[in-house]
Amino acid sequence: MKQLTHTQLLELDAQYCWHPFTQMQTAAPPLAVVRGEGEFLFDAQGNKYFDAVSSWWVNIHGHSNPTIAKAIAQQALELEHVMFAGVTHPPAVQLAERLVHNAPAPMAKVFYSDNGSTAIEVALKMAFQYWQNKGVAGKSRIVALEGGYHGDTFGAMATGKSSGFYAPFAPWLFHVDFIPTGVCACMEEQALAALDHLLANSAGEIAALVLEPLIQGASGMRFMRAAHVAELCKRCEAAGVLVIFDEVFTGFARTGTLFAAEQVAQFGGQADIICISKGLTGGFMPMAATLTSQAVYDAFLSDQVGHALLHGHSYTANPLGCAAALANLALFDEESTWANIHRIEATHQRWLPTLACHPLIENPRVCGTVAAFELKSSHSQYGSSASQWIRQTFLELGIVVRPLGNTVYWVPPYCTEPETLENAYQTLMHVLQRWGSLIAPGPGSELF
Ligand code: PMP
């Protein structure tokens, strides 16, 4: 590939590219990244940045991890791709076997797709058709949690409507019943009461409940107790409503266990369908999977084609993605990976009291390798001047963050060296000092 200078890269970008979730008129020029290694990204001018958000939460074992890179290269020389309808191949079957063995009960089958949104679309379609195939008419409603985010395709947008990202598309989103998100004891009660009410009155019309277990990511890293999620699951199970876990963000040990579902299972709650993506390939290849119980799968078995799940993508079970995912999972067999995960959590915990005492921070919290808090600000909208200021300031100090409104969070790759994370916390203290002078009444403070 042609070598580009920093300036050429930015000029070509400005001329031809349209970036996701970006107001192109006002956005600062993008960070021009040319290389990644471990927890670091390098720009075209040789500057080094700590990727504190794992590149939108996909990176697991570090950038350009040699084990995963080699697995992909080897697979590319063997078989780059073949359709998955009527065909199978070694990486797909080995990955499916591994996922079923690693996922908590009752997961038994794996349906591959391309990204988190498609994993959700597949899950929703499975849930709707499951009841139709079983001859149960009228189960056509979905229940979701307020603020939940499940992706940007239409079904995913409908279930994430209350997250507030989709106003222009509202007329085309199907109806979803939203219940409160149990982020505190009071909200837990409200959530259970709302679910009970829906189940008592309309269980016969509800196909499934969909939720992000333990952490609602995009709506601001909002945490829920595993015991509460389990309670929601148990009520759905008792009422004959399927449960879909969206583990697109929480999967692959973000919450401290390989799947958040493991922690929910400790309290007796389980899902019928689990969606995974992002960390599945260690952040190398776009790929997703929708895992289901045997019971869900069995409902699609029939002598009629119409009972099959008539859904598929050209790149379903792409061998390069499967090879990357297998290598990614093999790295979880190494004790050092789990030692790193626990060390990251311990560092977050060690800083928690400092953050809790800080006058400019609200609600600091830790779940596994995820740490989050709110910066005190009057502007908390996604992409607001406050969040842009936070991003730019961290960037100048060598750290890539992507605040959600005024929620700042660390989601580091697991290979992150202890001193890198420690430095990130020290840098945060500097940023807070600057933030303090900006929000203090005076010139410029009106920006925030
Ligand atoms: N579900 C959750 C919980 C997510 O966080 C995201 C993306 N941030 C998605 C689904 C959609 O995934 P993708 O961007 O890969 O379509």
Side-chain angles (χ1 to χ4, degrees):
M1 210 182 304
K2 199 169 108 187
Q3 289 279 331
L4 298 175
T5 65
H6 183 71
T7 313
Q8 284 171 326
L9 213 171
L10 288 181
E11 277 173 3
L12 285 172
D13 181 273
Q15 196 173 349
Y16 295 112
C17 295
W18 189 347
H19 288 263
F21 276 102
T22 303
Q23 175 43 264
M24 298 302 294
Q25 183 163 306
T26 55
L31 180 65
V33 173
V34 292
R35 194 167 75 78
E37 188 180 336
E39 70 268 42
F40 296 111
L41 295 167
F42 297 85
D43 72 12
Q45 293 171 313
N47 298 311
K48 178 172 155 181
Y49 302 88
F50 169 37
D51 185 357
V53 293
S54 291
S55 288
W56 253 353
W57 320 337
V58 301
N59 195 281
I60 295 289
H61 305 291
H63 289 281
S64 307
N65 176 284
T67 308
I68 303 178
K70 277 185 205 139
I72 295 171
Q74 212 172 346
Q75 184 59 46
L77 294 168
E78 200 77 37
L79 172 69
E80 84 304 341
H81 186 65
V82 61
M83 67 180 163
F84 204 57
V87 180
T88 195
H89 54 77
V93 298
Q94 286 173 72
L95 177 59
E97 179 188 34
R98 171 107 207 207
L99 287 171
V100 166
H101 285 123
N102 283 173
M107 294 305 119
K109 296 283 176 183
V110 176
F111 191 101
Y112 292 112
S113 64
D114 300 346
N115 55 64
S117 307
T118 55
I120 292 290
E121 297 294 332
V122 168
L124 295 172
K125 287 170 79 169
M126 281 176 174
F128 289 135
Q129 195 180 339
Y130 169 84
W131 294 111
Q132 289 172 32
N133 283 358
K134 285 179 83 74
V136 182
K139 272 182 164 303
S140 58
R141 281 161 64 179
I142 296 287
V143 180
L145 268 50
E146 274 162 13
Y149 174 88
H150 302 288
D152 293 338
T153 49
F154 272 84
M157 285 197 293
T159 54
K161 191 161 52 191
S162 66
S163 66
F165 287 104
Y166 310 124
F169 314 108
W172 297 280
L173 304 182
F174 61 75
H175 172 80
V176 168
D177 296 283
F178 289 98
I179 60 169
T181 300
V183 291
C184 60
C186 162
M187 296 298 281
E188 283 183 357
E189 265 180 46
Q190 288 182 29
L192 292 175
L195 183 63
D196 284 345
H197 181 76
L198 271 172
L199 295 178
N201 294 298
S202 325
E205 295 166 30
I206 299 172
L209 165 72
V210 57
L211 59 87
E212 295 159 83
L214 301 197
I215 308 181
Q216 272 190 342
S219 67
M221 298 295 163
R222 300 165 78 211
F223 294 177
M224 274 175 290
R225 291 184 318 120
H228 170 66
V229 178
E231 218 27 72
L232 298 173
C233 297
K234 284 189 247 177
R235 287 168 198 229
C236 286
E237 191 183 351
V241 166
L242 295 176
V243 174
I244 302 169
F245 277 179
D246 177 351
E247 291 233 35
V248 169
F249 169 52
T250 55
F252 303 96
R254 295 292 181 206
T255 68
T257 47
L258 194 62
F259 296 103
E262 291 168 41
Q263 296 177 52
V264 179
Q266 286 177 1
F267 294 92
Q270 59 185 34
D272 301 282
I273 301 175
I274 298 182
C275 303
I276 54 176
S277 185
K278 289 197 186 277
L280 171 60
T281 63
F284 274 68
M285 304 286 297
M287 184 171 199
T290 304
L291 277 50
T292 78
S293 66
Q294 188 69 41
V296 169
Y297 175 81
D298 285 347
F300 289 76
L301 302 179
S302 147
D303 50 11
Q304 295 176 39
V305 176
H307 286 154
L309 183 66
L310 298 179
H311 182 109
H313 301 277
S314 313
Y315 282 95
T316 299
N318 172 249
L320 304 180
C322 293
L326 280 165
N328 171 43
L329 281 163
L331 289 168
F332 278 101
D333 291 337
E334 294 184 10
E335 270 173 33
S336 58
T337 299
W338 289 100
N340 290 346
I341 288 167
H342 296 138
R343 201 197 54 233
I344 289 168
E345 177 165 10
T347 305
H348 290 329
Q349 292 289 359
R350 191 158 40 74
W351 274 89
L352 202 52
T354 310
L355 302 195
C357 292
H358 200 287
L360 297 175
I361 284 183
E362 279 171 339
N363 192 20
R365 52 204 183 273
V366 175
C367 178
T369 64
V370 180
F373 54 86
E374 275 74 49
L375 282 190
K376 283 189 185 163
S377 155
S378 54
H379 286 227
S380 59
Q381 204 193 355
Y382 187 92
S384 67
S385 52
S387 65
Q388 287 192 32
W389 181 90
I390 298 165
R391 252 185 84 198
Q392 281 308 121
T393 308
F394 270 106
L395 208 52
E396 282 162 25
L397 297 167
I399 301 181
V400 176
V401 297
R402 201 175 161 83
L404 298 154
N406 61 332
T407 303
V408 181
Y409 61 88
W410 305 131
V411 176
Y414 305 150
C415 65
T416 298
E417 292 292 340
E419 60 270 26
T420 308
L421 193 54
E422 193 61 34
N423 285 343
Y425 273 104
Q426 302 286 359
T427 304
L428 168 64
M429 293 297 126
H430 290 298
V431 173
L432 285 171
Q433 266 176 7
R434 289 202 209 171
W435 178 255
S437 48
L438 274 169
I439 61 168
S445 61
E446 70 279 4
L447 241 182
F448 301 92

